[in-house]
Amino acid sequence: MSYEPATIATLRRALDEVIKDNRFRQRKSHSVLEVAEHLLALAAVGERDLERLKASAFQKLISTAERLPNKAA
């Protein structure tokens, strides 16, 4: 799939902001590649809003972490 330069810039900014956020660094339930693939999938269906892209990525991180077994137990 081909994207306009503005879309690529938005996707890059979303990825950068997600991976620099403490929620990503603390969870480590996803790799940077998985977050990038998630953002690309959203762009493929037309999402271009930076805040919605980031919110979806964070929601994916949170929902996956909730399904993981507790290591301290």
Side-chain angles (χ1 to χ4, degrees), residues 13-49:
R13 182 171 173 194
L15 180 63
D16 287 346
E17 290 184 20
V18 168
I19 64 174
K20 289 178 183 176
D21 191 281
N22 282 335
R23 290 172 283 184
F24 174 76
R25 286 184 275 161
Q26 290 173 351
R27 299 221 190 272
K28 292 296 182 186
S29 58
H30 289 282
S31 69
V32 173
L33 178 59
E34 289 172 309
V35 174
E37 288 173 339
H38 179 75
L39 294 171
L40 285 170
L42 292 171
V45 296
E47 184 58 71
R48 300 293 188 269
D49 181 79

